Amino acid sequence: MTLRPLRLPLTLLAAALLAGCSQDDAPAAPSHAATPAYAAVARGRIDIEGGLLKLTMPSDGVVAQVDAHEGDQVHKGQLLAQLDLEPARLALDTALAEQQQANAQIGTLEARAKAAELRASRLEQAAKAGAGDVQSSDDAREAARQAQAELTNARAAAALAAQKVAGTRYQLELRSLHAPSNGEIVQRMVQPGATVSPATGPLFVMLPDSPRIVRAELNESFVGVVHEGMAAEVDDDSGSGLAPLKAHVLRIGRVFGASTLEDDPQVRANTRSVECVLTFDQPPSTPLRIGQRVLVKFAPK
Protein backbone atom coordinates (compact mmCIF):
# COMPACT_ATOMS: atom_id res chain seq x y z
CA MET A 1 0.00 0.00 0.00
CA THR A 2 1.36 3.43 -1.03
CA LEU A 3 1.33 6.08 1.66
CA ARG A 4 0.38 9.59 0.55
CA PRO A 5 1.64 12.70 2.34
CA LEU A 6 -0.86 14.10 4.80
CA ARG A 7 -2.36 17.40 3.55
CA LEU A 8 -3.70 19.48 6.40
CA PRO A 9 -6.19 22.30 5.89
CA LEU A 10 -4.30 25.52 5.33
CA THR A 11 -5.69 27.10 8.51
CA LEU A 12 -4.20 24.33 10.67
CA LEU A 13 -0.99 24.31 8.66
CA ALA A 14 -0.62 28.08 8.99
CA ALA A 15 -1.27 27.94 12.72
CA ALA A 16 1.46 25.34 13.16
CA LEU A 17 3.99 27.29 11.08
CA LEU A 18 3.16 30.65 12.65
CA ALA A 19 3.75 29.17 16.10
CA GLY A 20 7.46 28.87 15.34
CA CYS A 21 9.92 26.44 13.88
CA SER A 22 10.97 24.95 17.26
CA GLN A 23 10.88 25.51 20.97
CA ASP A 24 13.71 25.31 23.51
CA ASP A 25 13.69 22.64 26.20
CA ALA A 26 13.72 25.31 28.89
CA PRO A 27 10.35 26.98 29.57
CA ALA A 28 10.01 30.45 28.10
CA ALA A 29 9.61 33.45 30.34
CA PRO A 30 5.90 34.04 30.94
CA SER A 31 6.19 37.75 30.07
CA HIS A 32 7.42 37.11 26.51
CA ALA A 33 5.19 35.64 23.76
CA ALA A 34 6.64 33.25 21.18
CA THR A 35 7.87 35.03 18.04
CA PRO A 36 6.06 33.76 14.90
CA ALA A 37 8.32 32.07 12.38
CA TYR A 38 6.34 33.50 9.46
CA ALA A 39 3.95 36.40 9.02
CA ALA A 40 1.63 34.35 6.81
CA VAL A 41 1.41 31.05 4.97
CA ALA A 42 -0.40 30.32 1.71
CA ARG A 43 -0.70 27.54 -0.81
CA GLY A 44 0.21 28.33 -4.41
CA ARG A 45 1.16 26.91 -7.76
CA ILE A 46 3.89 27.53 -10.31
CA ASP A 47 2.79 29.51 -13.36
CA ILE A 48 4.00 32.01 -15.97
CA GLU A 49 2.63 35.44 -16.85
CA GLY A 50 -0.23 34.96 -19.30
CA GLY A 51 -0.30 31.19 -18.87
CA LEU A 52 0.12 28.59 -21.58
CA LEU A 53 -0.40 29.65 -25.19
CA LYS A 54 -3.19 27.94 -27.13
CA LEU A 55 -2.35 28.27 -30.82
CA THR A 56 -5.11 28.11 -33.43
CA MET A 57 -4.86 28.19 -37.21
CA PRO A 58 -5.91 31.72 -38.32
CA SER A 59 -7.54 30.44 -41.52
CA ASP A 60 -9.70 27.49 -42.54
CA GLY A 61 -8.59 24.66 -44.81
CA VAL A 62 -7.06 21.22 -44.92
CA VAL A 63 -3.83 20.64 -42.98
CA ALA A 64 -1.06 19.71 -45.41
CA GLN A 65 1.86 19.35 -43.00
CA VAL A 66 2.65 19.40 -39.29
CA ASP A 67 6.25 20.26 -38.40
CA ALA A 68 6.13 20.31 -34.58
CA HIS A 69 5.61 17.54 -32.06
CA GLU A 70 5.05 17.34 -28.33
CA GLY A 71 8.23 18.03 -26.42
CA ASP A 72 9.86 20.00 -29.25
CA GLN A 73 11.73 23.17 -28.39
CA VAL A 74 10.71 25.78 -30.96
CA HIS A 75 11.92 29.29 -31.68
CA LYS A 76 9.97 32.43 -32.56
CA GLY A 77 8.76 32.36 -36.17
CA GLN A 78 9.30 28.62 -36.65
CA LEU A 79 6.69 26.89 -38.83
CA LEU A 80 4.45 24.61 -36.78
CA ALA A 81 1.75 23.60 -39.26
CA GLN A 82 0.56 24.58 -42.71
CA LEU A 83 -2.66 24.28 -44.69
CA ASP A 84 -2.95 23.37 -48.36
CA LEU A 85 -1.61 26.49 -50.12
CA GLU A 86 -2.98 25.85 -53.62
CA PRO A 87 -6.30 27.79 -53.25
CA ALA A 88 -4.49 30.85 -51.88
CA ARG A 89 -1.80 30.64 -54.56
CA LEU A 90 -4.42 30.55 -57.32
CA ALA A 91 -6.13 33.61 -55.83
CA LEU A 92 -2.77 35.41 -55.67
CA ASP A 93 -1.97 34.57 -59.31
CA THR A 94 -5.35 35.98 -60.38
CA ALA A 95 -4.81 39.17 -58.40
CA LEU A 96 -1.33 39.63 -59.88
CA ALA A 97 -2.72 39.25 -63.41
CA GLU A 98 -5.40 41.85 -62.70
CA GLN A 99 -2.77 44.22 -61.31
CA GLN A 100 -0.59 43.76 -64.41
CA GLN A 101 -3.56 44.51 -66.68
CA ALA A 102 -4.45 47.64 -64.68
CA ASN A 103 -0.88 48.92 -64.84
CA ALA A 104 -0.72 48.31 -68.60
CA GLN A 105 -3.92 50.30 -69.11
CA ILE A 106 -2.41 53.20 -67.18
CA GLY A 107 0.48 53.38 -69.64
CA THR A 108 -1.86 53.57 -72.61
CA LEU A 109 -4.10 56.20 -71.02
CA GLU A 110 -1.14 58.32 -69.91
CA ALA A 111 0.02 58.57 -73.55
CA ARG A 112 -3.52 59.40 -74.73
CA ALA A 113 -4.04 62.05 -72.04
CA LYS A 114 -0.67 63.65 -72.83
CA ALA A 115 -1.51 63.84 -76.54
CA ALA A 116 -4.99 65.22 -75.85
CA GLU A 117 -3.59 67.90 -73.55
CA LEU A 118 -0.98 68.90 -76.13
CA ARG A 119 -3.62 69.17 -78.90
CA ALA A 120 -5.96 71.20 -76.68
CA SER A 121 -3.14 73.62 -75.78
CA ARG A 122 -2.19 74.15 -79.43
CA LEU A 123 -5.79 74.77 -80.53
CA GLU A 124 -6.32 77.21 -77.65
CA GLN A 125 -3.22 79.16 -78.70
CA ALA A 126 -4.38 79.14 -82.33
CA ALA A 127 -7.84 80.36 -81.37
CA LYS A 128 -6.35 83.19 -79.33
CA ALA A 129 -4.15 84.17 -82.29
CA GLY A 130 -7.10 84.07 -84.71
CA ALA A 131 -5.66 81.12 -86.62
CA GLY A 132 -8.32 78.63 -85.42
CA ASP A 133 -11.94 78.47 -84.40
CA VAL A 134 -13.04 78.51 -80.73
CA GLN A 135 -15.31 75.46 -81.11
CA SER A 136 -12.43 73.21 -82.12
CA SER A 137 -10.44 74.50 -79.14
CA ASP A 138 -13.33 73.76 -76.76
CA ASP A 139 -13.82 70.26 -78.20
CA ALA A 140 -10.12 69.50 -77.80
CA ARG A 141 -10.16 70.74 -74.20
CA GLU A 142 -13.16 68.51 -73.40
CA ALA A 143 -11.42 65.52 -74.97
CA ALA A 144 -8.35 66.24 -72.81
CA ARG A 145 -10.54 66.31 -69.67
CA GLN A 146 -12.12 62.99 -70.55
CA ALA A 147 -8.72 61.41 -71.19
CA GLN A 148 -7.50 62.70 -67.81
CA ALA A 149 -10.61 61.32 -66.09
CA GLU A 150 -10.07 57.90 -67.69
CA LEU A 151 -6.45 58.00 -66.52
CA THR A 152 -7.54 58.86 -62.95
CA ASN A 153 -9.99 55.95 -62.95
CA ALA A 154 -7.32 53.61 -64.29
CA ARG A 155 -4.92 54.65 -61.53
CA ALA A 156 -7.63 54.03 -58.92
CA ALA A 157 -8.27 50.58 -60.43
CA ALA A 158 -4.53 49.84 -60.30
CA ALA A 159 -4.40 50.88 -56.64
CA LEU A 160 -7.38 48.62 -55.93
CA ALA A 161 -5.64 45.77 -57.76
CA ALA A 162 -2.53 46.33 -55.62
CA GLN A 163 -4.66 46.15 -52.48
CA LYS A 164 -6.17 42.91 -53.73
CA VAL A 165 -2.69 41.48 -54.27
CA ALA A 166 -1.71 42.48 -50.73
CA GLY A 167 -4.90 40.89 -49.38
CA THR A 168 -4.34 37.59 -51.18
CA ARG A 169 -0.73 37.50 -49.99
CA TYR A 170 -1.94 38.06 -46.44
CA GLN A 171 -4.46 35.23 -46.84
CA LEU A 172 -1.61 33.05 -48.06
CA GLU A 173 0.38 33.87 -44.92
CA LEU A 174 -2.62 33.02 -42.73
CA ARG A 175 -2.49 29.44 -43.98
CA SER A 176 0.70 28.87 -42.00
CA LEU A 177 0.96 28.71 -38.21
CA HIS A 178 4.22 29.97 -36.70
CA ALA A 179 5.51 29.96 -33.14
CA PRO A 180 4.86 33.37 -31.54
CA SER A 181 7.86 33.06 -29.22
CA ASN A 182 10.53 30.65 -28.02
CA GLY A 183 9.15 27.79 -26.01
CA GLU A 184 8.15 24.14 -25.82
CA ILE A 185 5.25 22.34 -27.46
CA VAL A 186 3.47 20.57 -24.59
CA GLN A 187 0.45 19.32 -26.52
CA ARG A 188 -0.36 18.69 -30.19
CA MET A 189 -3.93 18.17 -31.34
CA VAL A 190 -3.76 18.02 -35.15
CA GLN A 191 -2.83 15.60 -37.89
CA PRO A 192 -2.19 16.11 -41.63
CA GLY A 193 -5.42 15.81 -43.58
CA ALA A 194 -7.60 17.33 -40.87
CA THR A 195 -9.97 20.14 -41.78
CA VAL A 196 -9.51 23.07 -39.38
CA SER A 197 -10.70 26.63 -38.88
CA PRO A 198 -10.23 29.34 -36.23
CA ALA A 199 -13.37 27.99 -34.52
CA THR A 200 -11.99 24.45 -34.36
CA GLY A 201 -9.90 25.22 -31.31
CA PRO A 202 -6.16 25.11 -30.57
CA LEU A 203 -3.88 22.93 -32.64
CA PHE A 204 -0.99 23.24 -30.20
CA VAL A 205 -0.50 24.18 -26.55
CA MET A 206 2.82 25.92 -26.04
CA LEU A 207 4.83 26.73 -22.93
CA PRO A 208 6.73 30.00 -23.58
CA ASP A 209 10.26 30.49 -22.31
CA SER A 210 9.14 33.01 -19.69
CA PRO A 211 10.20 33.43 -16.06
CA ARG A 212 8.29 31.27 -13.60
CA ILE A 213 6.07 32.94 -11.03
CA VAL A 214 4.01 31.74 -8.09
CA ARG A 215 0.27 32.35 -7.84
CA ALA A 216 -0.60 31.96 -4.18
CA GLU A 217 -4.04 32.01 -2.56
CA LEU A 218 -3.73 34.44 0.32
CA ASN A 219 -6.35 33.85 3.01
CA GLU A 220 -8.46 36.91 3.84
CA SER A 221 -7.06 36.91 7.39
CA PHE A 222 -3.56 37.55 6.00
CA VAL A 223 -4.42 40.25 3.46
CA GLY A 224 -3.50 43.07 5.82
CA VAL A 225 -0.20 41.42 6.75
CA VAL A 226 1.32 40.77 3.33
CA HIS A 227 2.46 43.66 1.14
CA GLU A 228 4.23 44.18 -2.20
CA GLY A 229 7.98 43.58 -2.06
CA MET A 230 7.68 41.33 1.00
CA ALA A 231 10.20 38.48 1.14
CA ALA A 232 8.94 34.92 1.07
CA GLU A 233 10.10 31.32 0.99
CA VAL A 234 8.67 28.88 -1.54
CA ASP A 235 8.63 25.17 -0.65
CA ASP A 236 7.45 22.19 -2.67
CA ASP A 237 4.05 21.17 -1.27
CA SER A 238 4.42 17.53 -2.31
CA GLY A 239 7.10 16.70 0.22
CA SER A 240 9.73 15.91 -2.43
CA GLY A 241 12.49 17.55 -0.41
CA LEU A 242 13.08 20.39 -2.88
CA ALA A 243 15.25 23.09 -1.35
CA PRO A 244 13.32 26.27 -0.43
CA LEU A 245 13.45 29.06 -2.98
CA LYS A 246 13.65 32.76 -2.19
CA ALA A 247 10.99 35.01 -3.68
CA HIS A 248 9.21 38.29 -3.07
CA VAL A 249 5.68 39.58 -3.56
CA LEU A 250 5.14 41.18 -6.98
CA ARG A 251 1.49 42.20 -6.56
CA ILE A 252 -1.61 41.40 -4.53
CA GLY A 253 -5.05 41.06 -6.09
CA ARG A 254 -7.98 43.27 -5.16
CA VAL A 255 -10.74 40.72 -5.69
CA PHE A 256 -11.75 37.96 -3.29
CA GLY A 257 -12.51 34.54 -4.71
CA ALA A 258 -13.03 30.94 -3.69
CA SER A 259 -10.01 28.79 -2.96
CA THR A 260 -9.04 26.31 -5.66
CA LEU A 261 -5.97 24.75 -4.01
CA GLU A 262 -7.54 23.68 -0.72
CA ASP A 263 -8.18 19.92 -0.67
CA ASP A 264 -10.87 19.88 2.02
CA PRO A 265 -14.23 20.62 0.28
CA GLN A 266 -15.75 22.07 3.44
CA VAL A 267 -12.81 24.37 4.05
CA ARG A 268 -12.71 25.32 0.36
CA ALA A 269 -16.39 26.28 0.38
CA ASN A 270 -15.98 28.58 3.38
CA THR A 271 -12.63 30.14 2.54
CA ARG A 272 -12.15 33.41 0.70
CA SER A 273 -8.76 34.27 -0.68
CA VAL A 274 -6.94 36.87 -2.76
CA GLU A 275 -4.45 36.02 -5.47
CA CYS A 276 -0.89 36.94 -4.55
CA VAL A 277 1.75 36.80 -7.29
CA LEU A 278 5.38 36.27 -6.37
CA THR A 279 8.53 36.30 -8.47
CA PHE A 280 11.73 34.45 -7.65
CA ASP A 281 14.79 36.41 -6.57
CA GLN A 282 16.93 34.21 -8.82
CA PRO A 283 15.98 31.78 -11.60
CA PRO A 284 15.43 28.37 -9.98
CA SER A 285 18.22 25.90 -10.70
CA THR A 286 15.73 23.02 -10.53
CA PRO A 287 13.12 22.93 -13.32
CA LEU A 288 9.69 23.89 -12.04
CA ARG A 289 6.63 22.50 -13.77
CA ILE A 290 3.61 24.65 -14.52
CA GLY A 291 0.84 23.79 -12.08
CA GLN A 292 3.26 22.38 -9.50
CA ARG A 293 1.92 23.00 -6.00
CA VAL A 294 4.02 24.93 -3.53
CA LEU A 295 3.76 26.34 -0.03
CA VAL A 296 4.58 30.03 0.38
CA LYS A 297 5.86 31.26 3.74
CA PHE A 298 5.95 35.04 4.07
CA ALA A 299 8.79 36.35 6.22
CA PRO A 300 7.80 38.45 9.25
CA LYS A 301 8.22 42.22 9.06
Side-chain angles (χ1 to χ4, degrees):
M1 181 176 64
T2 302
L3 297 178
R4 297 181 178 180
L6 180 62
R7 297 180 64 85
L8 296 175
L10 184 59
T11 52
L12 297 179
L13 182 61
L17 290 172
L18 294 177
C21 296
S22 62
Q23 295 182 353
D24 296 333
D25 294 337
S31 59
H32 297 281
T35 301
Y38 304 103
V41 178
R43 284 201 172 102
R45 67 181 184 277
I46 302 299
D47 202 353
I48 58 173
E49 288 282 4
L52 299 175
L53 293 178
K54 297 181 179 180
L55 307 180
T56 60
M57 184 66 72
S59 182
D60 56 347
V62 178
V63 178
Q65 65 184 75
V66 179
D67 294 344
H69 307 275
E70 293 185 4
D72 286 355
Q73 293 288 335
V74 296
H75 58 268
K76 183 177 180 179
Q78 179 176 334
L79 180 64
L80 303 180
Q82 192 173 72
L83 302 179
D84 180 15
L85 300 180
E86 191 62 23
R89 284 174 176 166
L90 290 174
L92 177 59
D93 290 342
T94 301
L96 287 171
E98 292 175 357
Q99 184 186 33
Q100 184 177 5
Q101 183 180 12
N103 290 335
Q105 190 175 8
I106 288 178
T108 301
L109 291 176
E110 282 179 341
R112 184 186 301 176
K114 185 177 180 180
E117 178 63 29
L118 180 61
R119 183 171 184 273
S121 297
R122 287 175 177 175
L123 290 177
E124 285 175 350
Q125 291 176 3
K128 289 178 181 179
D133 62 285
V134 176
Q135 185 62 45
S136 297
S137 174
D138 291 343
D139 291 343
R141 175 52 59 190
E142 181 61 25
R145 291 194 188 97
Q146 291 180 357
Q148 186 62 42
E150 291 177 3
L151 176 59
T152 300
N153 291 336
R155 286 172 175 168
L160 185 61
Q163 289 294 324
K164 187 175 181 180
V165 169
T168 52
R169 279 179 175 155
Y170 178 66
Q171 290 299 322
L172 182 61
E173 293 176 359
L174 291 181
R175 300 182 74 81
S176 299
L177 180 61
H178 298 269
S181 62
N182 298 339
E184 178 184 351
I185 301 298
V186 297
Q187 193 173 3
R188 165 186 158 180
M189 296 159 287
V190 65
Q191 294 287 351
T195 301
V196 299
S197 72
T200 302
L203 307 186
F204 299 93
V205 177
M206 177 179 167
L207 172 61
D209 287 343
S210 301
R212 301 298 190 261
I213 60 173
V214 177
R215 296 189 187 276
E217 293 182 349
L218 189 63
N219 188 278
E220 59 182 330
S221 60
F222 296 141
V223 171
V225 177
V226 178
H227 56 84
E228 294 182 2
M230 192 173 187
E233 182 180 283
V234 179
D235 294 337
D236 185 9
D237 199 18
S238 65
S240 63
L242 180 69
L245 301 172
K246 300 297 182 181
H248 62 273
V249 177
L250 185 63
R251 61 179 179 271
I252 301 174
R254 299 188 179 276
V255 179
F256 280 106
S259 174
T260 60
L261 299 177
E262 180 60 60
D263 292 328
D264 190 328
Q266 185 175 358
V267 175
R268 184 169 59 244
N270 296 290
T271 300
R272 295 195 309 163
S273 61
V274 171
E275 183 181 76
C276 177
V277 178
L278 301 96
T279 182
F280 293 100
D281 295 344
Q282 295 181 350
S285 57
T286 304
L288 298 175
R289 289 177 168 81
I290 303 302
Q292 180 178 343
R293 287 195 172 192
V294 293
L295 193 65
V296 181
K297 304 170 185 176
F298 299 89
K301 295 181 180 180

